[in-house]
Amino acid sequence: MKQDMIVILDLGSHENTVLARAIRALGVYSEIYPHDITAAELKALPNVKGVIINGGPNNVIDGVEIDVLPEIYTAGFPVIAAGHSKAKCEVNLPQFTDDIEAIKEAVKGFVFDTCKAEANWNMTNFVADQVELIRRQVGDRKVLLALSGGVDSSVVAALLLKAIGDNLVCVHVNHGLMRKGESENVVEVFSNQLCANLVYVDATERFLTKLEGVEDPEQKRKIIGGEFIRVFEEEARKLDGIDFLGQGTIYPDIVESGTKTAKMVKSHHNVGGLPDDLQFELVEPLRQLFKDEVRACGLELGLPYEMVYRQPFPGPGLGVRCLGAITRERLEAVRESDAILREEFAKAGLDKKVWQYFTIVPDFKSVGVRDNARSFEYPVIIRAVNTVDAMTATIERVDWDILCRITDRILAEVKGVNRVCYDMSPKPNATIEWE
């Protein structure tokens, strides 16, 4: 089924993504396009029912105030404008807010009464459409996918598996910096349960050897990222007949990588960082989904809840939570303490409430007492934060009894640790990660 679509034209608003999410929450598909789209390009888009011109403070480029092309108003679609006083057809949307419910209320009359759009945007229809599109794009050829075990790559894998089956080849590289049980979980779900064509590479020794003595966080990130690409390329060369590269690109990746009226927040390797001479054609079935929609897609495809709602996890893994030069002793302390934290948060129901929580082990020791003797061991630092956009973050006020239980377990079960601390620093001034 082809979903009806409301097109948002970006005229410098900060709220394009919030508006798109609000319209999708009404059950109608919505996409964001640049302000200078032509009438012909607009008409070429599938199932367009109406257009919202979304203006805002970024409507000046190189000193010139921008506007949509006049032909947009006579292209044959209902048009309204939000936050933009040059257009005759203005609607007052709640500006500079993430109040999706208020925006839904403001636009639903235009979407349903004026545009006559049908509420046919849902995950069942999305999956069916993407399966059809993937099969049309790939045919009987093969797709290679780097399966990290993260939400995005896992959902892409499940979707490609549904569409092309054995013609999907997944490569999971265990760099030794995964959380406890994560690589095993990837193998169990995709190889044993879903019967995917999975290549598992244990590169732990290779990565840890490369990282020996490296203290600088950026250097660690570069080594981990570069080595991962090399391992992946080595495995790809062993395979024959691969024409496509699957990627877990999602809509925020594209938005954060910059548009004509929005500055880049951060570059994403899967948007602007691929080489010009890439030998593969890309398959990116999630590129128009927001994160909450990706999770809903994963559940629709039958992935386990704990995989779909996996904690946000940095690409370098535990490598940036084992502060300074990585040692195997401290890396194991991070892994074990993190597992205890996740287990206790799940028991307390905090796993469904707190956006991100993890442990850190710094590269210094403190004096303590163990078995009636002086000890000189590491501290474990707990971090638990809540955020909407990861640009700012607040601290979760964890119940004292829960913190005490976590502390007792870490001190009793994790080797080489004699202190547990709770990080009370919001962002700003701190950042979410320590490195």
Side-chain angles (χ1 to χ4, degrees), residues 39-53:
E41 290 170 332
L42 184 62
K43 290 177 181 178
L45 298 174
N47 288 44
V48 175
K49 294 296 182 179
V51 176
I52 299 178
I53 303 169

Side-chain angles (χ1 to χ4, degrees), residues 323-353:
L323 305 185
I326 296 170
T327 66
R328 295 170 192 254
E329 179 188 26
R330 285 192 299 112
L331 182 60
E332 195 59 24
V334 175
R335 198 183 332 267
E336 291 298 325
S337 60
D338 179 82
I340 290 170
L341 178 67
R342 287 189 288 136
E343 184 178 324
E344 291 298 331
F345 264 41
K347 287 180 182 177
L350 291 173
D351 59 324
K352 298 178 178 65
K353 178 187 177 188

Side-chain angles (χ1 to χ4, degrees), residues 49-117:
K49 294 296 182 179
V51 176
I52 299 178
I53 303 169
N54 200 26
N58 291 337
N59 67 337
V60 176
I61 298 179
D62 296 329
V64 178
E65 191 171 9
I66 60 173
D67 201 351
V68 299
L69 298 175
E71 63 193 65
I72 295 299
Y73 295 101
T74 57
F77 303 105
V79 179
I80 61 170
H84 168 55
S85 60
K86 286 180 280 174
K88 295 175 290 185
C89 40
E90 182 167 356
V91 63
N92 291 319
L93 297 184
Q95 293 295 300
F96 307 106
T97 178
D98 58 2
D99 188 348
I100 289 181
E101 291 303 316
I103 296 177
K104 282 167 59 179
E105 189 63 29
V107 300
K108 70 178 183 180
F110 173 73
V111 171
F112 294 117
D113 300 335
T114 305
C115 300
K116 309 298 182 186

Side-chain angles (χ1 to χ4, degrees), residues 163-176:
I164 60 174
D166 288 342
N167 283 340
L168 170 66
V169 181
C170 298
V171 177
H172 175 70
V173 178
N174 179 2
H175 50 25

Side-chain angles (χ1 to χ4, degrees), residues 286-304:
L286 306 182
R287 63 180 291 113
Q288 295 300 335
L289 292 189
F290 294 103
K291 195 71 173 187
D292 57 330
E293 294 169 332
V294 174
R295 297 186 195 281
C297 183
L299 293 177
E300 177 72 24
L301 289 163
L303 288 178

Side-chain angles (χ1 to χ4, degrees), residues 15-36:
E15 271 66 57
N16 291 314
T17 56
V18 181
L19 177 56
R21 289 178 62 211
I23 294 170
R24 293 187 190 187
L26 290 169
V28 179
Y29 186 60
S30 181
E31 285 187 4
I32 304 164
Y33 286 89
H35 68 281
D36 56 359

Side-chain angles (χ1 to χ4, degrees), residues 400-420:
W400 194 254
D401 289 340
I402 297 171
L403 280 178
C404 288
R405 186 161 59 249
I406 294 168
T407 299
D408 289 344
R409 283 196 60 191
I410 289 175
L411 293 178
E413 299 174 31
V414 182
K415 286 183 61 176
V417 170
N418 64 2
R419 291 180 190 270
V420 177

